[in-house]
């Protein structure tokens, strides 16, 4: 296992507290491995292995297990004298798991960690049973820094700026960077992850009959990363293809794709009116390799995927991220975290005065003094212009400044 210390350390700050630790994220982003890392750390602290219980509920072993059976199974293995550490992987496979977890958290001397690949586990019953008693951690695929750490175990690294191109094309699913794979092999692995997510977490769970409709909505979203669009624009596009679909159905599909963590919704924020706008959102994909494994690689998609990578990095670092609306113009990202805020423009390269003016002047129009960045990948990606910092995207992704 290659360590992912940022997640492990953050989660373990809550070890031996009353809070249930809930790890969520897209399939195969590394949640199960992070649980194993935490178990190892506990053993290094002197916790005996017999007081660490681990269950993986997507295993055939637990097919058809009821919540009552889950409760009885775990209860029979708890230590009667000292604290037991419970690790419940893919717990959403057990209907009623929330009540079981709440019972253990309330009535027994346990420290609980759970994972799930669908955000449905974060709503409904859990709000009733665990209100104020859980902390959530969104696990993402590998950051650019983690990607470099993984890759250097099996291959000599190029410069970070050169490696950025590989990171965009190959993505950050941990399983694809445990050894050297070809691009075709990586996209085969990722496409299987995509298929299992769509058909197990979305189609099967929601009993969707028109699978081709769902897949067309996915492909529209993947083909429009970085563009604002609405359910109506997808519906209109489908009608132009002689495939009728109503706005509500499209909205439902997008919501289900979000709940499976395949897509992330980014709303617009009016910087003058100081309000979140309800229309013309953007969607970003959980990993760039998903886009390429489903749609194939095309050079004209790179700019959008650079934007996607920056968006995910801001989310990884705990920012709430919005598109900034400034009059008739737009700021790519307005990112807020506690008392911090920053503004980011992302562009592949600046070839003309018109592009330079567009990228910088929108930021200059913002009256506050929070940090402002223009991120690019060309040879002039450096320096400071009227307080706006210009950085290469690779340097920004590896930076500790924000």
């Amino acid at each position: 296992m290659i360590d992912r210390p940022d997640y492990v350390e953050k989660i373990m700050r809550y070890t031996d507290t009353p809070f249930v630790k809930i790890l969520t994220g897209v399939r195969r982003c590394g949640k199960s491995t992070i649980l194993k890392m935490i178990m190892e750390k506990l053993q290094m602290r002197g916790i005996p292995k017999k007081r660490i219980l681990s269950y993986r509920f997507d295993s055939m072993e637990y097919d058809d297990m009821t919540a009552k059976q889950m409760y009885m199974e775990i209860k029979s293995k708890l230590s009667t004298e000292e604290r037991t550490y419970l690790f419940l992987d893919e717990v959403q496979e057990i209907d009623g798991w929330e009540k079981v977890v709440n019972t253990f958290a309330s009535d027994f001397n346990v420290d609980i960690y759970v994972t799930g690949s669908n955000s449905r586990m974060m709503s409904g019953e859990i709000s009733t049973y665990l209100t104020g008693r859980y902390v959530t951690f969104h696990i993402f695929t590998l950051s650019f820094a983690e990607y470099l750490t993984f890759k250097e175990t099996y291959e000599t690294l190029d410069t970070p700026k050169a490696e950025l191109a590989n990171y965009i094309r190959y993505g950050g699913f941990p399983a694809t960077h445990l050894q050297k794979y070809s691009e075709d092999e990586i996209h085969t692995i990722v496409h299987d992850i995509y298929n299992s997510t769509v058909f197990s977490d979305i189609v099967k769970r929601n009993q969707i009959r028109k699978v081709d409709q769902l897949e067309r909505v996915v492909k529209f979203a993947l083909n429009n990363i970085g563009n604002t669009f609405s359910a109506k624009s997808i519906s209109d596009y489908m009608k132009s293809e002689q495939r009728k679909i109503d706005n509500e159905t499209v909205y439902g599909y997008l919501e289900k794709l979000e709940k499976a963590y395949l897509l992330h919704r980014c709303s617009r924020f009016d910087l003058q009116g100081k309000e979140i706008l309800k229309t013309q959102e953007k969607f970003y994909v959980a990993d760039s390799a998903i886009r390429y494994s489903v749609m194939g690689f095309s050079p004209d998609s790179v700019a959008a995927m650079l934007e996607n990578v920056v968006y995910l990095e801001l989310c990884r670092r705990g920012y709430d991220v919005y598109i900034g609306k400034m009059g008739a113009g737009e700021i790519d990202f307005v990112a807020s975290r506690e008392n911090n805020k920053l503004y980011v423009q992302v562009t592949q390269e600046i070839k003309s005065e018109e592009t330079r003016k567009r990228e910088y002047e929108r930021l200059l129009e913002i009256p506050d003094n929070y940090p402002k960045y223009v991120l690019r990948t060309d040879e002039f990606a450096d320096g400071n212009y009227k307080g706006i910092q210009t950085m290469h995207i690779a340097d920004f992704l590896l930076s500790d400044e924000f």
Side-chain angles (χ1 to χ4, degrees), residues 268-272 277 323-332 345 358 361-363 365:
R268 291 190 303 153
F269 182 79
D270 188 337
L271 292 168
Q272 295 168 319
L277 304 174
I323 309 152
K325 181 182 180 297
M326 192 74 177
E330 188 177 282
I331 307 298
D332 286 335
Q345 288 284 72
R358 182 182 70 240
E361 289 200 359
R362 286 179 187 170
L363 292 173
E365 289 173 5

Side-chain angles (χ1 to χ4, degrees), residues 275-339:
E275 62 177 342
I276 296 172
L277 304 174
K278 302 292 185 183
T279 59
Q280 294 297 307
E281 300 145 319
K282 291 186 181 182
F283 286 83
Y284 294 97
V285 65
D287 191 86
S288 56
I290 294 175
R291 198 267 182 211
Y292 292 131
S293 71
V294 175
M295 306 294 291
F297 179 79
S298 59
D300 60 1
S301 67
V302 172
M305 297 319 297
L306 288 168
E307 191 175 311
N308 200 109
V309 162
V310 172
Y311 170 82
L312 291 177
E313 186 62 28
L314 291 168
C315 292
R316 271 190 202 94
R317 299 196 186 201
Y319 285 94
D320 294 320
V321 187
Y322 300 94
I323 309 152
K325 181 182 180 297
M326 192 74 177
E330 188 177 282
I331 307 298
D332 286 335
F333 300 122
V334 179
S336 303
R337 184 182 63 193
E338 297 171 351
N339 295 321

Side-chain angles (χ1 to χ4, degrees), residues 350-364:
I350 293 180
K351 293 182 177 180
S352 67
E353 177 62 20
E354 181 184 351
T355 304
R356 188 200 66 78
K357 186 175 180 180
R358 182 182 70 240
E359 301 299 340
Y360 286 89
E361 289 200 359
R362 286 179 187 170
L363 292 173
L364 290 171

Side-chain angles (χ1 to χ4, degrees), residues 166-233:
N166 293 326
Y167 179 60
I168 293 290
R169 291 184 71 141
Y170 304 148
F173 280 100
T176 63
H177 299 296
L178 297 175
Q179 65 182 61
K180 184 172 176 58
Y181 290 107
S182 69
E183 183 170 355
D184 284 346
E185 289 169 332
I186 288 174
H187 288 166
T188 297
I189 294 168
V190 174
H191 202 277
D192 287 344
I193 296 170
Y194 164 80
N195 280 338
S196 63
T197 303
V198 169
F199 290 101
S200 295
D201 293 343
I202 300 176
V203 173
K204 186 177 176 182
R205 288 183 187 279
N206 296 282
Q207 298 181 323
I208 291 174
R209 295 178 182 176
K210 296 182 178 179
V211 179
D212 62 319
Q213 273 192 350
L214 171 64
E215 291 197 289
R216 283 177 178 274
V217 170
V218 176
K219 289 178 180 179
F220 182 96
L222 294 179
N223 213 31
N224 284 277
I225 297 297
N227 296 326
T228 54
F229 63 84
S230 63
K232 184 178 186 304
S233 58

Side-chain angles (χ1 to χ4, degrees), residues 60-71:
M60 284 287 291
E61 184 178 357
Y62 303 109
D63 254 12
D64 302 319
M65 175 178 266
T66 65
K68 181 70 172 179
Q69 290 169 332
M70 174 188 178
Y71 171 77

